[in-house]
Amino acid sequence: GHARNRGQQEARGKYYLCIDSDTIYPPYYIDMHLKQLMKPGVVASSSLWSYVPDKDFPRYWMYFYELFRDIHLRIQSHKRPELCVRGMTFAYNIRYGREVGYRLDIKRGEDGSMALGLKKYGEIRFITGRRARPVTSTATLRQDGNIFNAFKIRIVKAFKHLSNYFFRKNSYKDEESNLVK
């Protein structure tokens, strides 16, 4: 949050594209986001992403994991696009981003919180094409141990939050465990 707020403060352009140092971006990544951001009424965009497979997360299993995750995110993006935003694939109109600002009082989810704040200014587009799909490490999945645990944890969470597919939401309750103390 601190780094992204500082970046917004220093930026001189109309749009702010988040780029992470541990992620590989395809050649048309920026063009695909700008194409969406320049459309009337669009204030932000986010895209799908892939993981670099390795011996613990083989390509075959990652294919199925990403397939189901992508279906889940595509459906969820219609009512709650803010839940599909990841910092490594996020772009927005900087004018509105400066008004909203990144939250500094939470440990994770500051990009989704920014997207939630941006919704009042316009639409958040979810880009599903390969030309805007970066590749990143499996570090977040490794926190769950292995591909099967990561998949199981996310399936359970998706079923617990089925309303994400059907209802819009304009605010969320902070979890105590996610607050910076």
Side-chain angles (χ1 to χ4, degrees):
H2 289 283
R4 297 214 201 270
N5 272 334
R6 181 61 187 212
Q8 278 190 142
Q9 181 182 343
E10 299 297 325
R12 299 292 172 247
K14 183 174 181 179
Y15 304 109
Y16 189 82
L17 281 81
C18 299
I19 303 286
D20 285 6
S21 63
D22 64 346
T23 303
I24 302 166
Y25 292 88
Y28 296 100
Y29 175 79
I30 293 172
D31 294 338
M32 296 297 290
H33 279 275
L34 290 177
K35 182 178 175 182
Q36 294 302 316
L37 291 168
M38 290 180 184
K39 291 181 179 178
V42 175
V43 69
S45 61
S46 184
S47 65
L48 292 169
W49 67 97
S50 290
Y51 294 102
V52 176
D54 60 31
K55 67 178 181 62
D56 297 323
F57 295 86
R59 183 176 308 279
Y60 179 77
W61 291 113
M62 293 307 297
Y63 171 81
F64 288 107
Y65 173 84
E66 290 178 11
L67 174 68
F68 288 112
R69 187 227 31 220
D70 292 357
I71 291 168
H72 162 72
L73 290 174
R74 284 176 190 223
I75 295 168
Q76 184 173 256
S77 72
H78 292 286
K79 296 292 182 180
R80 296 198 189 172
E82 68 275 7
L83 296 178
C84 303
V85 169
R86 301 298 181 276
M88 67 183 160
T89 65
F90 190 33
Y92 54 88
N93 183 307
I94 199 162
R95 179 175 139 220
Y96 301 121
R98 286 180 177 143
E99 289 184 33
V100 173
Y102 282 96
R103 289 185 61 187
L104 305 176
D105 62 333
I106 54 178
K107 296 176 186 174
R108 63 193 172 281
E110 66 276 1
D111 300 299
S113 180
M114 168 64 87
L116 180 66
L118 289 170
K119 274 181 25 176
K120 67 182 173 187
Y121 297 104
E123 181 183 353
I124 299 171
R125 285 281 172 93
F126 192 56
I127 305 168
T128 58
R130 288 258 171 220
R131 293 169 57 136
R133 189 179 193 119
V135 180
T136 193
S137 76
T138 55
T140 55
L141 298 178
R142 281 186 195 289
Q143 294 172 358
D144 300 324
N146 60 46
I147 187 67
F148 300 107
N149 282 343
F151 190 72
K152 183 178 81 176
I153 288 167
R154 284 154 181 84
I155 287 284
V156 168
K157 186 177 178 181
F159 278 109
K160 284 171 86 173
H161 298 100
L162 278 176
S163 66
N164 292 353
Y165 297 135
F166 306 107
F167 305 103
R168 295 184 193 281
K169 203 166 183 182
N170 293 320
S171 66
Y172 294 87
K173 186 178 184 301
D174 288 325
E175 294 178 18
E176 189 68 30
S177 63
N178 193 39
L179 295 174
V180 175
K181 301 193 186 238

